Every structure is written in structure tokens, then in C-alpha cells.
Amino acid sequence: MDQMNLTMLTDFYEITMANGYLEHGLKDRIAYFDMFFRKVPDNGGFVIMAGVEQLIEYLKNLRFSEEDIDYLRGKKLFSEDFLRYLKNFKFSCDVWAVPEGTPIFPNEPIVIVRGPVIEAQFVETMVLLTINHQSLIATKANRIVRAAQGRGVMEFGSRRAQGYHGAIYGARAAYIGGCIGTACTIAERDFEIPVLGTMAHSWIQMFPNELEAFRAYARTYPDQCTFLVDTYNVLKSGVPNAIRIFHEEVVPRGFRPKGIRIDSGDITYLSKEARRMLDEAGFPDCKIVASNSLDEYIIRDILIQGAQVDSFGVGERLITSKSEPVFSGVYKLTAVEEDGMIIPKIKLSENVGKITNPAFKQVWRLFDKSTHKAIADVITIYDETIDEKNPYVIFDPEYIWKRKTVTNFYAKRLLTKIFDQGNCVYQSPELKEIKSYCKGQIETLWDEVLRFENPHNYYVDLSKPLWEMKQRLLQEYSVK
Amino acid sequence: MDQMNLTMLTDFYEITMANGYLEHGLKDRIAYFDMFFRKVPDNGGFVIMAGVEQLIEYLKNLRFSEEDIDYLRGKKLFSEDFLRYLKNFKFSCDVWAVPEGTPIFPNEPIVIVRGPVIEAQFVETMVLLTINHQSLIATKANRIVRAAQGRGVMEFGSRRAQGYHGAIYGARAAYIGGCIGTACTIAERDFEIPVLGTMAHSWIQMFPNELEAFRAYARTYPDQCTFLVDTYNVLKSGVPNAIRIFHEEVVPRGFRPKGIRIDSGDITYLSKEARRMLDEAGFPDCKIVASNSLDEYIIRDILIQGAQVDSFGVGERLITSKSEPVFSGVYKLTAVEEDGMIIPKIKLSENVGKITNPAFKQVWRLFDKSTHKAIADVITIYDETIDEKNPYVIFDPEYIWKRKTVTNFYAKRLLTKIFDQGNCVYQSPELKEIKSYCKGQIETLWDEVLRFENPHNYYVDLSKPLWEMKQRLLQEYSVK
């Protein structure tokens, strides 16, 4: 896709603070920021990380144009020193991120930015915007895909997306989350996501009648016939006409019908009847596609009722994550460097859940050596190691008497370095690889974590050194 | 903003149908499509039209690049004739739209596209995506602005938007809907929306303590001091430190404090206490800004409880329209031309609410001559006129015995031509003008329509000729 200059897509306070840091001699003070989230959307058990590739693109292209600087000068708020600094700006931070497609959990750092505070602070808005959006949609898509129990789910939501990137990167995230394709053409051109689509109701209406509309379509695309059968009446008109055209135009040309699509009415009833009619007509291989305001809950319900649907086209409820359209990742200062020492920082809050985890950190996932299932995640101070050879004790950071000794495990670091002193040191995998990695990683989760409602809380614990550091800071900063 | 080539941001079926229309000799068949919607988000009384300026940009830039055509050729679905057609593609449709900022109601055409069916069909995805998104956000913003009862509402949601355009055009739409500004810097650079913002919690944490952080800020921006007071403890630390710095650094420099911002905790309680403390300290003019997961319901409630808030920063619940993140505009064929005659078309549905209004139409708004309040909208066949000199009878299209004779009124056409044979013939007003036009238009609505819950259904009726045409088509097309 065409490059956009998104440098100025930032909350204005990032710029007022930057100018202030420069003025107060804090330009080169090294700071550490974590992106993390507190709650899984839809009360689910996990989130799927997505958006890292676009975050990398943004960071690579971060520069202030003459136009940007002229605009800022016009605000009469900023020093010429600062505007000169922006003109010569070169991103020089270290950045770590959890790879796309990885299941992630509340309170874990999923992106860490370390560098001069002006820079590390400045990127806040875009780090959050990029990862929040794609992770939200990948997570929702995966819920819907799991509800479909192996049937294909296609992303059909462009027209109801929240803006152009909502459609395009939404399609990308949905593919990571498990969708088999999209209707969004540009997403295939730019990301090689398989694109699908046949006809709208207007195609039917442009011909003298439904039969002639199907016939015309079959003559142009005899091997691609998925007919939309609900323009007039699914069972009295659409399906019989489809069957007739399959016989008259498709089979004689040496092809098999691909499918019919039902976009309104009671999908359970109509699909069962349509299935029977297609089978009786000799087309048991003709697939039934359902669309129309679907989501994971409706798909689950109609499958329980025995709907004969082979694949689903899911639009607005996927592309906006309608039932919970916000993923609330936040970006918080966790440490600064003074004389080469890392000084941890904490943010208190009257709301206990909003207290941050201090320090420069790493996230480890412990896997069972026999089952390869994920047992728990442990957040550690960055230079801690977890020795796989010895039993490792994990404990709940809130109810510390809840503890468990893990044995026979291996541990993997989740955060990978993607920028080193401003240079990208990470090559994003092909999208297909991300998708298949995602599928594999979800298979490491216990079914209890995958449940739609009231899932088991996967363990995300703090290491003993990190927990103790946090307690010390809580004592130190709390207002008496 | 940089131009993006969004031509391929289209549902793939638009392209398969286009190729089919060409093959079947329907390329030059003139078709009419309406965009309309069926339901107001949040069960509100009206929607605010927005996005027309971006729709115009898209239509002006509609062309297929070599890259697009190569990509499509690679699909092995399309004829070389068709690819040649795309290479030479020039948009040639007529387009009408309701101007931005106008209150609109269910079932009214808000965009009409007339032209060769390939073209008029092709633009479906982008017409819907553009208008759906911005209208959704303008409408939500207006609900929040009305809840604030004259207090300023600032759009603070970029980091939680659904993609980059979600943030940028979301800020634009929020401004149309009545927000006084945004935190999204690029929205000021490109749309001249006033941008606002002071400091994040991390600013406070970068200094030895809160007092020094406020002091540093005050020295850099003595006339811009809105301090974030909830990093440690609002009443024990934030407000006292703010007051001290107002006295020590702001007043001595000849300025007055601008405000404090509370971003967590109980806004009602904290704002009342903070107000009292500021007043006692001699700063009754210091404003209190509240943020933290606000929306129209919370704002209404805390104001009822007497919260002392002067302005609101509203983020995720505005920028995603969280409580209802989808605006379901649709795009339906309503007529074709044959031998110069306009032949109306209808789409039936087992769901009565999904039956379309046929024909090439106009929407009229009838205003009371004395009060200038909007009485009703009437959808007519395009060349009908409404004679203001005579009483006009409106009737409910479903319950036709519900009728009303309107007298002493004037009637305005809502749909304005924006493209004539592919040429833009409309100049979008300045954004500020759109915003003020919007405010004025909402003032023409009765309070009953403005109610948040269970508002009065504003009358949207069909003219007698249109109603009769629809009945005739229903008879004709219904499957016996």
C-alpha cells in the first residue's frame, strides 16, 4: 500500500511533552515504556497479538516533514531548538515485541520501547493504535473461527469497517486469527490474503429475472458458481433456479456447482431445506454459504440447531468486533536510566488494577515437556533467567499463598527485539506463516482457556525478584 | 493527507460483477443505486450525515493502476476486454448526496449514484465504508456533546481507534458532531480541527516528584497549565501540588492557571473536592477537565450528581462508538433505464423491513414556517415537486390511515448533486461551516427527537405516487 506519512498521527501531548523534555535537559534520558493490556475483550481467555509488521513500517518511516514542522511552528508553543531537533530526528530506540500470532494475556508487556525519553514517549499513540486495532480483530476473528468448528470463515466487513485502514488491516488481522479469506480486494493485492466474492442482489435485479441472472453468471464463470439465492424467495425461487442453472449451464460445461449463499431469513431452517433440495438434485457437493450479521454466538447456536452450513461470511460483527470494539492496551513508563543504572518506576492508582508493573522486563512462557501445553507465563526482570533444569515455583502476585511448583518444563522468552538503536533487526514472517504459527500456538492452550464464556484464567505471574521490587516501590511511592 | 490509491478497496464481487456486466453487454446500462440505512445507532432519534468530502476525493481519484490491472490479470478470471476497460476507466456517474452535518433518518436515500451499472455498482463498498464510518462517529459525538450540556467535549481516542483512518476521520466526524477539539495532531494539520493536550502520567514520573514535574511544565508553558493530578493521589497530592505551582510559577509570570485534569477515580466526588480546593486557593477560574472511559450515559449521570466538571476528554467510547460500533448503511439498486425510461426496481425480503424503496428519488424536509422546526421528511419520485402553497397530506407508509395535513410550511430538497457525468460539481464547505450548519440543523428538531432513550420517531413518509409505485412492484415481484 502507498506509504502515508503518519508521523503526526500522535496525541498532541506527546509533542508538548517532547518540547518540555528538551527544554529541561531530559532529551537523552533513557526511558523504558511497556505496552500491555488489562482485560481480554468479550471476557475471553486470551488475545492474539497482531500489528507488529505495521508498527515496524511506522517506526521505519518516522520523520518530520517540512510541512509538519511549519505546522508546529505555527502553534507558537515550541522553541526553535525543538523544531531543529525534529528536523534532524532519527529514531534511535530499542524495541521488543511479542511476535504476531502469539496468544497474549493481561498485564504482560507485549511491546517494550527503550530509548531517549522524547522518542520513546513520542511513539505511544501509534504503538497503541496499531497493536490495539489488529489484536482486537485477530482475537475476534479467532473466536468466530473457533465457533465455526472447522468450517471456513470469510471476512466480509469492509463496508461497515471504521475507516479504510479498519477494512484493510482488519482483513489482515482476521486472516491471522484464522479466517480463510476476505472480500476486501486490496487485502489480496497487498497482503496475498485469498479474496472471494461472487454477486450482490443487484446482479439478480439487473436481469429480467433470477433465472436469467444466474444463467448469465454461469456463462461467464461456469467454474465459480456460488449463487445468491435470497433476492426473492430462497426455497421457492432461489434454490430451484440455482439447481436448474447448475444442470443447464454448469454440469454440461464439465464443472460442478460451487455453492449457494443465503444472506437473510432463518439460516438454520433455510439451510436444512436447501441442503435437502441440493442433495436430491444430485449436488451433495454444492456448498452452502451463510452470511447476515453473524458472530461467534449465532454461529454456535445455529450449528447446535443443525444448520447445514459449510462456510460463513462474517461482516460487521467481525470487522468492528461489534460486541466489544475496544482493545484497551496502554503504554506506561516502567524505568529510567541514571548513570547507567536502570531505576524502576511505578504508577499508582486509586484503582488497584491500574497499578503498573515496574522495571525493564521479559515474559517467559513455560510449556509442559510431555504435552507441549502452556502452563503459565512468568514476567521477570529482563536479565533474570529461568532454569529449566530445576523445579520452578510460580505464585499468584495477588494471593501469594497460591503457589505451584513446575517441573518437566521448558521456557521460552516471548519478547523479541525488533529494533536495535533505531535499526530494524527483525524480518516479519510471511502472513501465511503468522497465521499458521497462530494456529499452532493456540493449540498449546488448554481447552479451559479457549472457552467462550467464563474461561479459566491463564496464570500470569511475577518472578520473585520482580514481585519484591514492586512491593518495595509501592511502599516508597504510596502517599501517607 | 497523502493521497492513497483506494480503488482496490472494494469487495471482490464488485469486480466479478463488473466483468460479467461487460460480457453480457450491460456495460452502458444506466442504473440507479441508493445508499440508505434502516436503524439509528444507540436507538437514537437521528443520524448526522458525514463523510461526503472523503467520498468526493475517492471518486475523483478513481482509476486502476497498472499494478491493479496486473494483479487482476493474475486472478485468471477476467477477460482482456475487461482489463482494457479498467485501464481506460473514467468515472462518469451522476451522484447526489445529503450535505454533511444534516440530520438524516431511516429509509431515506442519503447518497444516490446514477450511471453505467459497472461504475455505479463498483463504488458500493467505498460509498458505504466512507459514509457509514463518519456518520457513525458524528452521531455518537453529538450524543456525547448534548449530554455535556454546553460543556466542551474533546475527542481523545486515537490510541483506541480502529486503524489510522479511524483516528483521523473519526476526529473529523467528531468535530462535525460538536466536539470542540481533538488530541489527534494530524487532524489539526490536515483539517484545522483545534488540537489540545498537555501531559501524560509519564511526564510526572520522569521528574523526581509530582511537584517538580508540574514546576518544569509551568516554566515551559506558563500560559498553558492544565495539570494531570491523578498520578499518585488526586486530593492529597495532585491538587495541592497544582495549586502550589499555580501560585509559585504561573501567577508570578502574569498568567492564570488553565486547569487540572482528573483521569481516574470517582469523577463526581473528586471534582467537587478539587473545585472547593481550587476556589479556596483563589482559582475559581481554573477549569476541571475529566477523562477516563466517558460516554453520554456517564456524563449525564455525573452531571446529575453535581460533578464540577468544565470539560470532558472522551476517548475510546467516542472514537469507536463503543456502545454500537456499526452503522449499517446499505446500497441498493432502485432503477434502471431502458430506452430512456426509468424502470423502478425493488428487492423483496422475507424480512419486511429489508424491502427497498424503488425508483429514482428525492428527499424533502418540511419545516414549519413559524417555528422553523422540521415537521417531517417526504421521499418522492425525483421529478415530483411539493407545492408549499397548498396543504400537503403526509401519511405513514405502513399504517396508511395515520395521516396528517401539513400547512404553513416550506419544503427543502435534501439531496444535492455532487457529481455530474463524473465531474465534481460541488465544493465541500469548510469544516467549521459544516459543524455550525450541523448545530443549526439539530436545532430544527423537536426535543422529542433528541431524547437519548425512546425518542419520538420522526416522520419519514413516502409521497402518494411513490407509495403507489411500491405497492404495484410488491404485487408484481412477490413469489406466489
Side-chain angles (χ1 to χ4, degrees), chain A residues 121-139:
Chain A
Q121 174 75 65
F122 183 82
V123 300
E124 174 181 31
T125 308
M126 278 293 281
V127 169
L128 292 175
L129 172 45
T130 303
I131 304 295
N132 276 339
H133 171 233
Q134 288 200 45
S135 299
L136 175 72
I137 305 303
T139 305

Side-chain angles (χ1 to χ4, degrees), chain A residues 1-2 4-6 8-17 19-21 23-24 26 29 33 54 68 71 75 77-78 117 121 124-126 128-130 132-133 136 158-166 169 183-186 188-189 195-203 205-207 216-217 220-221 224 231-234 236 261 292 316 319-320 322 325-330 332-333 336 345-348 350 354 477 479, chain B residues 1-2 4-6 8-17 19-21 23-24 26 29 33 54 68 71 75 77-78 117 121 124-126 128-130 132-133 136 158-166 169 183-186 188-189 195-203 205-207 216-217 220-221 224 231-232 234 236 261 292 316 319-320 322 325-330 332-333 336 345-348 350 354 477 479:
Chain A
M1 207 162 29
D2 307 71
M4 285 175 72
N5 170 7
L6 292 172
M8 296 301 275
L9 179 39
T10 182
D11 286 316
F12 192 65
Y13 74 12
E14 317 290 10
I15 308 179
T16 49
M17 285 191 285
N19 177 58
Y21 287 137
E23 179 159 327
H24 293 280
L26 294 172
R29 175 70 58 86
F33 286 86
Q54 282 63 47
D68 296 337
Y71 153 72
K75 299 289 295 173
L77 274 174
F78 306 116
V117 63
Q121 174 75 65
E124 174 181 31
T125 308
M126 278 293 281
L128 292 175
L129 172 45
T130 303
N132 276 339
H133 171 233
L136 175 72
S158 290
R159 63 188 59 191
R160 305 279 165 79
Q162 295 195 356
Y164 312 133
H165 287 128
Y169 294 130
C184 179
T185 308
I186 202 169
E188 178 171 77
R189 191 196 68 183
V195 79
L196 299 151
T198 57
M199 64 183 66
H201 295 110
S202 52
W203 173 272
Q205 294 175 285
M206 283 301 293
F207 291 86
Y217 198 88
T220 301
Y221 304 108
Q224 298 288 329
T231 306
Y232 302 111
N233 185 302
V234 172
K236 290 185 190 163
R261 177 161 75 96
N292 190 24
E316 60 192 42
I319 205 67
T320 66
K322 184 166 187 260
V326 173
F327 178 63
S328 300
V330 296
K332 298 290 175 191
L333 182 78
V336 295
K345 294 275 181 176
I346 197 165
K347 181 193 163 295
L348 304 189
E350 311 204 359
K354 281 191 158 189
Y477 280 90
V479 177
Chain B
M1 208 163 27
D2 306 73
M4 286 177 69
N5 170 7
L6 292 172
M8 297 300 276
L9 178 40
T10 182
D11 285 317
F12 193 64
Y13 74 11
E14 317 289 10
I15 307 179
T16 50
M17 285 192 284
N19 178 58
Y21 287 136
E23 179 158 327
H24 293 281
L26 293 172
R29 174 70 59 86
F33 286 85
Q54 282 62 49
D68 297 337
Y71 153 72
K75 300 288 296 172
L77 274 174
F78 305 117
V117 64
Q121 174 75 65
E124 175 181 30
T125 308
M126 278 292 281
L128 292 176
L129 172 45
T130 304
N132 276 339
H133 170 233
L136 175 72
S158 290
R159 62 189 56 192
R160 305 278 165 79
Q162 296 195 355
Y164 311 133
H165 286 129
Y169 294 131
C184 179
T185 309
I186 202 170
E188 179 171 76
R189 192 197 67 184
V195 80
L196 300 151
T198 56
M199 64 181 67
H201 295 110
S202 52
W203 173 273
Q205 293 174 284
M206 282 302 292
F207 291 85
Y217 197 88
T220 302
Y221 303 109
Q224 299 288 328
T231 306
Y232 301 111
V234 172
K236 290 186 192 162
R261 178 161 74 95
N292 190 23
E316 61 193 42
I319 204 68
T320 66
K322 183 166 187 260
V326 173
F327 179 62
S328 300
V330 296
K332 297 291 176 190
L333 182 77
V336 296
K345 294 274 181 177
I346 197 164
K347 182 193 164 293
L348 303 190
E350 310 204 359
K354 281 191 159 189
Y477 280 89
V479 176

Side-chain angles (χ1 to χ4, degrees), chain B residues 212-285:
Chain B
E212 293 315 309
F214 289 169
R215 191 185 306 284
Y217 197 88
R219 288 183 178 174
T220 302
Y221 303 109
D223 57 337
Q224 299 288 328
C225 283
T226 296
F227 292 135
L228 179 61
V229 293
D230 70 338
T231 306
Y232 301 111
N233 185 304
V234 172
L235 301 177
K236 290 186 192 162
S237 166
V239 177
N241 283 332
I243 287 171
R244 186 165 156 198
I245 297 298
F246 292 153
H247 281 304
E248 292 180 7
E249 306 286 347
V250 175
V251 173
R253 286 182 170 77
F255 298 106
R256 296 294 298 169
K258 288 199 85 167
I260 60 165
R261 178 161 74 95
I262 306 173
D263 188 44
S264 60
D266 190 284
I267 301 287
T268 302
Y269 170 71
L270 294 173
S271 67
K272 285 182 190 176
E273 290 299 305
R275 181 74 275 155
R276 194 182 48 72
M277 292 161 77
L278 289 165
D279 289 352
E280 283 173 9
F283 301 119
D285 53 339

